[in-house]
């Protein structure tokens, strides 16, 4: 199977100035690097999957497959295999356990300190897991929606007496876009984070009892033995602790390889056990550094 498909807000017609142009490339691994480089240069936010990974996601009940089924435009499909496979993909509804794990991730990210260097990261991580949580909750009610505006409409549809809105989540989305573009977060992002956490507690009972920690190094010590809710949660944690490491002037010897993971979380192959183990190793090494344990690379900061 080889296919290229555009999906997301551009396809459903709700894109705006900060929307990504989302593109999925399904191909053998050996072809992915060149294709990703080519389409990234054209302004796309590229996700790459092998056919095996795509089928694994369907068996695992990933709603991303239903996203593709409902909101994608196929640009290339060798032999029509991708579209044929997609048509045959029935819905696998999220389980209560999946939703609980998603809620736990929201609570986990909410509890991170509001350090200035982490504000953009925290807004990004909270936006992603909160949106995923809402998508899953609505999918259980047969509402398959993926954009913030569509999620808001669906919430009003299933709960007509709900008078809320998702403005705080929209502000997190804007902060996420700035963070991924390497820009400073919009003014008031910390307040937007706190407002969204409060709303999640008020509306869904999520985050209500998990205030942000004030002691950053104390928070790091809790991560060493954490049982992460997902590989994605572990990857975003590595991203945060490495941001702190860099602000303290030290870099991992495999800095460039590490950055390939944390700069493209959507391209992370969570079903690849080798990559999971590598991320685990990077995280533990960085936590050792931040706990002031002696490491060779602690003494060798990068010049740039």
């Amino acid at each position: 199977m080889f296919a290229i498909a555009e999906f997301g807000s551009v396809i459903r017609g709700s894109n705006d100035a900060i929307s990504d142009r989302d593109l999925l490339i399904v191909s053998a691994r050996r072809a992915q690097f060149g294709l990703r480089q080519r389409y990234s240069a054209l302004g796309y936010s590229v996700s790459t999957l092998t056919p095996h990974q795509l089928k694994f996601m369907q068996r695992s009940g990933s709603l991303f497959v239903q996203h593709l089924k409902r909101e994608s435009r196929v640009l290339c499909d060798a032999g029509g295999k991708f579209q044929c496979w997609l048509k045959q993909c029935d819905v696998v509804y999220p389980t209560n356990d999946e939703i609980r794990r998603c809620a736990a991730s929201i609570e986990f990210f909410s509890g991170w300190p509001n350090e200035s260097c982490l504000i953009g990261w925290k807004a990004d991580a909270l936006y992603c897991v909160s949106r995923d949580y809402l998508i899953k909750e609505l999918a259980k009610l047969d509402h398959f929606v993926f954009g913030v505006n569509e999620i808001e409409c669906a919430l009003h549809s299933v709960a007509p007496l709900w008078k809320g809105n998702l403005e705080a989540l929209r502000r997190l989305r804007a902060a996420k876009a700035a963070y991924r573009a390497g820009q400073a977060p919009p003014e008031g992002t910390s307040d937007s984070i706190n407002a969204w956490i409060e709303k999640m507690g008020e509306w869904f009972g999520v985050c209500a009892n998990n205030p942000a920690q004030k002691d950053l190094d104390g928070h790091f010590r809790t991560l060493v033995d954490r049982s992460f809710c997902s590989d994605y949660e572990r990857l975003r944690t590595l991203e945060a602790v490495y941001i702190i490491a860099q602000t303290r002037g030290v870099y991992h010897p495999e800095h460039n390889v590490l950055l390939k993971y944390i700069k493209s979380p959507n391209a992370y192959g969570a079903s690849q056990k080798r990559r999971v183990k590598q991320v685990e190793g990077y995280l533990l090494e960085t936590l050792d550094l931040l706990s002031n344990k002696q490491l060779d690379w602690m003494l060798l900061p990068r010049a740039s």
Side-chain angles (χ1 to χ4, degrees):
M1 183 190 297
F2 174 78
I4 300 174
E6 190 172 7
F7 65 95
S9 60
V10 172
I11 304 305
R12 65 175 171 263
S14 63
N15 56 305
D16 57 25
I18 62 172
S19 295
D20 291 330
R21 295 176 62 200
D22 294 305
L23 193 77
L24 171 68
I25 298 175
V26 183
S27 74
R29 194 177 311 284
R30 63 181 177 274
Q32 290 180 351
F33 178 77
L35 288 166
R36 187 184 300 119
Q37 293 287 97
R38 181 191 309 172
Y39 283 96
S40 294
L42 295 174
Y44 286 102
S45 176
V46 180
S47 298
T48 54
L49 294 169
T50 65
H52 172 76
Q53 288 174 312
L54 189 63
K55 292 172 183 176
F56 174 84
M57 292 174 74
Q58 167 62 11
R59 292 194 302 272
S60 302
S62 171
L63 289 173
F64 179 63
V65 176
Q66 295 304 315
H67 191 179
L68 294 173
K69 194 168 184 177
R70 289 164 168 77
E71 296 180 357
S72 68
R73 178 170 62 238
V74 176
L75 307 180
C76 176
D77 184 8
K81 293 181 179 179
F82 173 73
Q83 292 179 89
C84 182
W85 174 81
L86 203 57
K87 288 178 183 177
Q88 298 172 1
C89 290
D90 294 328
V91 174
V92 180
Y93 289 94
T95 64
N96 289 333
D97 187 54
E98 283 181 80
I99 293 174
R100 280 193 295 269
R101 289 200 304 270
C102 199
S105 288
I106 298 171
E107 292 175 348
F108 170 63
F109 289 127
S110 298
W112 277 74
N114 283 348
E115 292 281 323
S116 58
C117 63
L118 290 179
I119 289 296
W121 167 85
K122 187 173 179 179
D124 182 332
L126 268 176
Y127 169 78
C128 291
V129 294
S130 297
R131 177 174 168 264
D132 194 39
Y133 172 84
L134 295 173
I135 287 170
K136 285 182 168 67
E137 285 279 24
L138 288 165
K140 287 191 67 177
L141 301 173
D142 282 316
H143 287 263
F144 296 94
V145 289
F146 302 95
V148 176
N149 293 340
E150 292 73 23
I151 289 170
E152 187 174 76
C153 289
L155 286 171
H156 283 292
S157 175
V158 300
L161 298 181
W162 181 66
K163 301 302 181 183
N165 62 65
L166 301 184
E167 285 308 310
L169 186 61
R170 290 186 177 91
R171 292 196 293 272
L172 296 192
R173 175 176 173 264
K176 163 187 172 283
Y179 172 70
R180 297 203 181 188
Q183 302 167 358
E187 186 176 351
T189 294
S190 183
D191 291 337
S192 298
I193 288 172
N194 293 336
W196 178 246
I197 292 171
E198 181 181 344
K199 292 300 183 185
M200 287 298 288
E202 177 186 340
W203 295 336
F204 302 104
V206 178
C207 306
N209 299 311
N210 192 26
Q213 302 295 313
K214 294 182 180 179
D215 178 8
L216 186 59
D217 289 299
H219 184 65
F220 289 147
R221 287 192 289 273
T222 71
L223 300 177
V224 176
D225 298 318
R226 178 175 173 78
S227 296
F228 289 96
C229 294
S230 65
D231 295 327
Y232 180 81
E233 184 184 282
R234 183 188 294 105
L235 178 66
R236 299 310 300 262
T237 299
L238 171 62
E239 182 179 352
V241 296
Y242 199 56
I243 288 171
I244 296 297
Q246 291 176 91
T247 63
R248 296 180 182 181
V250 288
Y251 295 75
H252 196 283
E254 297 181 19
H255 172 79
N256 291 331
V257 178
L258 194 157
L259 285 186
K260 287 182 181 179
Y261 289 114
I262 66 178
K263 291 297 184 182
S264 302
N266 292 344
Y268 175 62
S271 64
Q272 300 176 50
K273 296 302 180 185
R274 181 181 62 82
R275 291 191 177 192
V276 171
K277 289 295 184 184
Q278 195 165 16
V279 167
E280 287 177 344
Y282 286 148
L283 178 57
L284 289 175
E285 289 170 356
T286 309
L287 287 171
D288 278 347
L289 167 68
L290 294 171
S291 298
N292 296 317
K293 295 182 179 179
Q294 185 67 42
L295 296 175
D296 291 341
W297 56 280
M298 180 178 177
L299 304 176
L300 298 171
R302 289 171 59 95
S304 61

